Amino acid sequence: MGNPTGFINIDRKTARPLEPGERLKNYKEFLPRLSDHEAGRQGARCMDCGIPFCQTGCPVNNIIPDWNDLVYTDSWRAALVSLQSTNNFPEFTGRVCPAPCEESCTLNINSDPVTIKSIEHAIIDKGWSEGWIKPEKPSKKSGKSVAVVGSGPAGLACAQQLARVGHRVVVYEKNDRIGGLLRYGIPDFKLGKELIDRRVEQLEAEGVIFKSGVAVGERLSDKNGVNDFSCEFIDPSILIKEYDAVVLACGAEMSRDLIIPGRNLDGVHFAMEFLPQQNRVVAGDEVLNQISAQGKHVVVIGGGDTGSDCVGTSNRQGARSITQFELMPMPPEQENKAITWPDWPVKLRSSSSHEEGCQRDWEIATKEFIGSNGKVEKILAERVKWQKNNKGKMAMAAIPNSTFEIKADLVLFAMGFLGPVSLGPIENYSLAKDSRGNILANTGDYLTSKNNVYAAGDVRRGQSLVVWAIREGRQCARSVDIALMGRTTLPL
């Protein structure tokens, strides 16, 4: 590396966000990118460690040491080329990825890894501001056509790769706007939607055709908030007839429910009923009977990223109080490096939303929703403990006399996702599923149990990270190209 002692002489530094009081005033992004100078200094901390665990920790296998060094030497355009060689959308991952690369960094042995995510953010934002990112149109057309169902990160990555090698690609999206959960799952304060619009324009210039407001398959249930809009419906069998290949990248949107007494009271909702509505409001839409946290005691059930997004959105809407329940034990504040590094560790993680105001509680089992006149007013819960049973597995047991009540005018379920909504192409094509209800397809060719039908992203692996979706979309595109042309120039 250019600075062999950078990791010794330079302290880790990340971009400093706006103070909570300022960022709660709106739904805009609040984390600026590092300056060119500071990004270069941070890149200098990347050591010549011999085995770059950061690359294997990164699902898209970003060539991290190379672009760290290029930023250090002020070779920004070359750094952008390196970054985009493995990642179609670094502006998404540079904002919302939990950065497994940093957990894998050799310097993380001392808990001060290279600020890889911040440097990625700086590179891609500079690339856009300098006008270096242009459409990459194919030199010739292949004469083949591919339908991509779903416009989340997996669908977009797959579509872009296939269009760049000359295939005619049509993306079908049931929502009125392109982006999948990037658009209607992630709050605007974490990912500004102008970033998606900018990429959609690029893909269109590269030849991708988008058909929004078109659902492939049967009319979806209003349950889980997956259909609070009007759209056109198309028979999945038509895609088989009209296209040489079909790629299913339609996500895993079936929210985990909690069937206990009082479940049907007003004010008890899935997170994916609540979050998309606010995104639509920010986009300028009128949302009738919007679910709002304003002036309410909010309880979020579930301690992951979706729960955190509910916390941040509730704070901006003016919630009176916010409490977040997690069924599992509170993780340790610091992992045991000797045991976990360079793998992803289980440890306590606090998001920017938690900093903005939230009470968190662990090992809480929700027992009943209590209300009057059809509306929820409080929750009956109890404390539990986890211990090994006679089979050696961890099991939950209630703590005697630990029952308590908490005020709750709005309850949001953020307990994860069970898998894809099993309507439309999954049923129409009679696709085989795995034990969790996801479409069965391996990572060798991403081919499903039906010829010429492929699956990538959450619909195949279950709800996961944006960066995993991008990886699967890219690899699936390569497999489709090989099947259609007998060979491919697309990278692994």
Side-chain angles (χ1 to χ4, degrees), residues 234-357:
I234 184 173
D235 190 329
S237 62
I238 293 176
L239 303 186
I240 294 289
K241 297 174 183 176
E242 294 186 354
Y243 296 91
D244 296 298
V246 176
V247 175
L248 302 179
C250 37
E253 295 181 301
M254 183 59 69
S255 300
R256 188 185 304 278
D257 207 342
L258 182 58
I259 307 301
I260 58 176
R263 171 63 182 88
N264 293 325
L265 289 171
D266 267 356
V268 181
H269 300 277
F270 290 107
M272 292 312 297
E273 293 175 286
F274 173 69
L275 295 173
Q277 288 187 352
Q278 184 57 53
N279 286 10
R280 291 180 183 279
V281 170
V282 174
D285 294 350
E286 181 181 359
V287 176
L288 299 177
N289 302 314
Q290 181 187 358
I291 304 165
S292 175
Q294 185 175 8
K296 295 179 180 177
H297 296 286
V298 179
V299 176
V300 179
I301 301 177
D305 288 340
T306 302
S308 173
D309 293 343
C310 289
V311 170
T313 301
S314 296
N315 270 316
R316 283 162 178 76
Q317 290 182 350
R320 188 173 177 182
S321 70
I322 305 173
T323 304
Q324 187 174 22
F325 286 166
E326 170 57 62
L327 184 64
M328 302 304 293
M330 180 178 175
E333 292 191 9
Q334 180 64 52
E335 75 273 27
N336 186 329
K337 301 283 187 183
I339 294 175
T340 61
W341 179 86
D343 296 325
W344 181 256
V346 175
K347 65 180 179 180
L348 181 63
R349 300 176 190 275
S350 296
S351 71
S352 58
S353 293
H354 294 133
E355 296 171 2
E356 294 162 3

Side-chain angles (χ1 to χ4, degrees), residues 216-469:
V216 178
E218 301 174 32
R219 183 177 298 275
L220 299 174
S221 167
D222 288 337
K223 188 178 182 181
N224 295 299
V226 296
N227 189 27
D228 57 354
F229 51 87
S230 59
C231 57
E232 175 189 343
F233 296 88
I234 184 173
D235 190 329
S237 62
I238 293 176
L239 303 186
I240 294 289
K241 297 174 183 176
E242 294 186 354
Y243 296 91
D244 296 298
V246 176
V247 175
L248 302 179
C250 37
E253 295 181 301
M254 183 59 69
S255 300
R256 188 185 304 278
D257 207 342
L258 182 58
I259 307 301
I260 58 176
R263 171 63 182 88
N264 293 325
L265 289 171
D266 267 356
V268 181
H269 300 277
F270 290 107
M272 292 312 297
E273 293 175 286
F274 173 69
L275 295 173
Q277 288 187 352
Q278 184 57 53
N279 286 10
R280 291 180 183 279
V281 170
V282 174
D285 294 350
E286 181 181 359
V287 176
L288 299 177
N289 302 314
Q290 181 187 358
I291 304 165
S292 175
Q294 185 175 8
K296 295 179 180 177
H297 296 286
V298 179
V299 176
V300 179
I301 301 177
D305 288 340
T306 302
S308 173
D309 293 343
C310 289
V311 170
T313 301
S314 296
N315 270 316
R316 283 162 178 76
Q317 290 182 350
R320 188 173 177 182
S321 70
I322 305 173
T323 304
Q324 187 174 22
F325 286 166
E326 170 57 62
L327 184 64
M328 302 304 293
M330 180 178 175
E333 292 191 9
Q334 180 64 52
E335 75 273 27
N336 186 329
K337 301 283 187 183
I339 294 175
T340 61
W341 179 86
D343 296 325
W344 181 256
V346 175
K347 65 180 179 180
L348 181 63
R349 300 176 190 275
S350 296
S351 71
S352 58
S353 293
H354 294 133
E355 296 171 2
E356 294 162 3
C358 173
Q359 294 294 320
R360 304 167 76 183
D361 209 346
W362 284 265
E363 292 185 290
I364 302 296
T366 306
K367 307 302 292 182
E368 182 180 356
F369 303 115
I370 302 170
S372 61
N373 300 318
K375 295 183 178 180
V376 69
E377 295 176 337
K378 55 187 176 181
I379 291 176
L380 178 67
E382 69 179 356
R383 299 191 177 276
V384 300
K385 60 182 177 180
W386 290 84
Q387 54 192 14
K388 288 185 178 181
N389 59 20
N390 54 14
K391 295 182 180 180
K393 295 183 178 181
M394 295 302 293
M396 181 182 74
I399 296 177
N401 304 315
S402 66
T403 302
F404 66 96
E405 292 182 352
I406 182 173
K407 289 182 179 180
D409 307 307
L410 176 62
V411 180
L412 300 171
F413 291 171
M415 303 172 292
F417 299 83
L418 298 176
V421 177
S422 295
L423 293 173
I426 299 177
E427 301 302 329
N428 185 280
Y429 299 155
S430 300
L431 300 180
K433 303 176 187 178
D434 66 16
S435 59
R436 297 179 297 162
N438 304 316
I439 296 178
L440 187 63
N442 63 48
T443 55
D445 56 19
Y446 292 87
L447 188 63
T448 69
S449 56
K450 187 173 182 64
N451 287 339
N452 302 323
V453 177
Y454 300 78
D458 290 357
V459 76
R460 190 203 70 82
R461 65 181 292 118
Q463 192 71 211
S464 188
L465 305 176
V466 169
V467 66
W468 272 111

Side-chain angles (χ1 to χ4, degrees), residues 470-483:
I470 293 172
R471 173 193 172 103
E472 294 215 351
R474 287 172 60 90
Q475 291 187 330
C476 181
R478 188 176 192 275
S479 177
V480 171
D481 192 36
I482 292 173

Side-chain angles (χ1 to χ4, degrees), residues 92-156:
F92 302 159
T93 52
R95 286 166 166 82
V96 303
C97 184
C101 53
E102 293 189 15
E103 298 290 355
S104 300
C105 175
T106 299
L107 289 177
N108 193 43
I109 293 173
N110 295 325
S111 298
D112 59 348
V114 175
T115 57
I116 298 168
K117 181 177 175 179
S118 295
I119 296 171
E120 177 182 32
H121 185 174
I123 294 170
I124 192 64
D125 279 19
K126 185 175 179 67
W128 280 109
S129 65
E130 295 289 339
W132 295 337
I133 301 172
K134 304 289 186 182
E136 298 178 24
K137 300 179 181 180
S139 57
K140 62 180 180 179
K141 296 293 185 179
S142 68
K144 303 292 185 179
S145 62
V146 182
V148 177
V149 182
S151 68
L156 291 178

